[in-house]
Amino acid sequence: MKTLILFTTRHGCTAKAAGMLQSRMGQGADTINLMTDSVPALSEYETVILGGSIYYGGIQKQMTEFIKKEQSQLASKRIGLFLCAAEPGEKALKELEEAFPEFLRARAKAADVFGNELDYSKLSLPEKLVFRAVKGKRRRGDGLSSDKINKFAAKMLG
């Protein structure tokens, strides 16, 4: 069973999460960054996992555009959905719900928010100002949850 993990990332957190997930999914799992890589034919994969991060209140537009473009093919795949986001609990689940359309959420074998990591030095000046206004002096995320990634992979493989 081949798996394709498609992700978008602004500062690398989602790329790291996708790599961690790929290592747990085993051989036959490919990762593709929608922002920099060409997407292989979806017909080669039974399972497609989509991941992104919340940036200025929403998932990256490349992910949204990809989902719209490939909606009919995605409707026939085993689907997994994940986000890298800083909000905890109910707020995180709300972000997950708003990031992906209902037809994907309803098909998802697994869906979760893996947490976040932030390298403050990679932010632009405007991003640093917004981040500081929202999060205060804290310069790092709470980290990615290995436990959540393990459980997500187990659901997808089960």
Side-chain angles (χ1 to χ4, degrees), residues 10-153:
R10 185 80 179 175
H11 298 292
C13 178
T14 309
K16 182 176 179 180
M20 292 169 70
L21 185 57
Q22 180 185 28
S23 72
R24 285 150 177 89
M25 296 298 292
Q27 291 186 346
D30 299 326
T31 59
I32 298 290
N33 182 344
L34 280 175
M35 299 175 85
T36 59
D37 302 329
S38 298
V39 178
L42 293 183
S43 60
E44 297 177 23
Y45 298 91
E46 287 181 26
T47 300
V48 176
I49 298 173
L50 303 171
S53 58
I54 297 300
Y55 189 73
Y56 288 108
I59 197 164
Q60 289 88 357
K61 71 176 182 180
Q62 292 88 347
M63 179 60 72
T64 304
E65 290 170 356
F66 175 81
I67 291 168
K68 283 181 184 175
K69 180 180 167 198
E70 301 297 342
Q71 185 172 347
S72 62
Q73 286 200 69
L74 291 171
S76 66
K77 304 294 180 188
R78 287 174 34 119
I79 297 292
L81 305 171
F82 75 91
L83 279 182
C84 291
E87 296 294 344
E90 290 297 318
K91 286 184 176 180
L93 295 176
K94 178 93 173 141
E95 287 182 331
L96 183 68
E97 184 179 310
E98 292 173 357
F100 297 103
E102 171 60 26
F103 86 93
L104 286 178
R105 293 192 320 271
R107 296 190 51 77
K109 189 158 177 72
D112 207 346
V113 178
F114 293 164
N116 75 321
E117 289 185 357
L118 179 70
D119 183 348
Y120 191 77
S121 68
K122 290 183 178 179
L123 300 180
S124 67
L125 180 58
E127 290 171 329
K128 287 178 181 176
L129 294 172
V130 169
F131 185 82
R132 191 173 184 138
V134 173
K135 295 292 182 184
K137 291 184 177 181
R138 207 176 84 199
R139 290 184 169 209
R140 302 199 61 80
D142 296 326
L144 294 171
S145 170
S146 290
D147 186 49
K148 286 187 172 192
I149 294 170
N150 290 341
K151 287 178 182 174
F152 185 99

